[in-house]
Amino acid sequence: MRKNNVMKGLFRAPIVIAVAACGIVSNASAVNYGDFAGLSVSYTGVEESSVTDPVPLFGAPSVIGNTLDFDPKAYGATSSGVSAPDITDGQLNFGVKANVGYGISSLTFSEAGDYTVVGTGTTDTHVSIGAPIFVDIVEVDGAVIDPVQIQGNVMFTPNASGMFELPTDGGVAVIWKGSLSLDLNSALSDAGIAYDLGATMVNVVLDNTLLAQSEVASTSFIAKKDFKVGAITIVPEPTSLALALLG
């Protein structure tokens, strides 16, 4: 976790920055974990990178059903008695491809971790989470289309904004959670695109930022412990399925 020397108070709003394993290929700023097969989808080209810290942060994922599961071990930000915030930023890039005969109706994202905010001070002692997610639908019913773009921000508990401040949210090892669901079928309908199976290939970029800031007599810490991406798929009526299988 590298310190970013930014004026105190600049980060009083939640951070939003516009974001069986194969052999791992890595360099100073990225790790490529390869492809992962689920029950009715495959996650392709799973890669993480960071502009603030050495990777890995998310770590190598596993697949359970159609869920890509990350269990971060060293993804956090901490600040003790200093005015400059500590920022840790991690980005994931990957594709989601439906197996033949399936359509991807929606994608779900969930994450969880804990934070500690203690000491004497004001709202200048706080932690925050930012998690914008960008999805491009690039294939429908097996045919390439002009990308249909969807985006959203993960909503958190105990505060939806992802900002936890000393006067109101202070505590030790407080659990936080976040979730987001993106409806791909609705996005296609809104774009005027007819479909039988639905989205069959999408590209995903997500950027997860943790921030910790403290004052002289205080300490703040936040960590990410779990991150999951799930694909919900639908099998069409037999006639549509037969046509899809015929190509």
Side-chain angles (χ1 to χ4, degrees), residues 3 77-82 115-122 124-127 164-166 169-173 211-222:
K3 299 293 181 185
T78 185
S79 178
S80 183
V82 296
Y115 73 84
T116 293
V117 178
V118 294
T120 302
T122 69
D124 284 339
T125 297
H126 60 269
V127 294
F164 311 112
E165 299 174 325
L166 177 59
D169 309 301
V172 176
L211 178 146
Q213 184 166 341
S214 64
E215 299 164 275
V216 174
S218 64
T219 296
S220 61
F221 168 78
I222 184 168

Side-chain angles (χ1 to χ4, degrees), residues 215-233:
E215 299 164 275
V216 174
S218 64
T219 296
S220 61
F221 168 78
I222 184 168
K224 188 187 308 293
K225 302 295 181 62
D226 184 64
F227 189 90
K228 291 182 174 67
V229 183
I232 298 175
T233 58

Side-chain angles (χ1 to χ4, degrees), residues 82-139:
V82 296
S83 59
D86 181 23
I87 302 171
T88 300
D89 178 74
Q91 179 170 306
L92 284 177
N93 294 64
F94 56 88
V96 187
K97 184 171 181 61
N99 293 353
V100 174
Y102 289 88
I104 307 167
S105 62
S106 63
L107 293 174
T108 62
F109 304 86
S110 64
E111 58 181 312
D114 59 19
Y115 73 84
T116 293
V117 178
V118 294
T120 302
T122 69
T123 56
D124 284 339
T125 297
H126 60 269
V127 294
S128 66
I129 320 156
I133 295 174
F134 306 86
V135 174
D136 282 349
I137 303 173
V138 296
E139 185 181 284

Side-chain angles (χ1 to χ4, degrees), residues 197-222:
L197 295 170
T200 48
M201 179 68 190
V202 302
N203 293 323
V204 180
V205 177
L206 61 93
D207 202 340
N208 262 212
T209 303
L210 303 181
L211 178 146
Q213 184 166 341
S214 64
E215 299 164 275
V216 174
S218 64
T219 296
S220 61
F221 168 78
I222 184 168

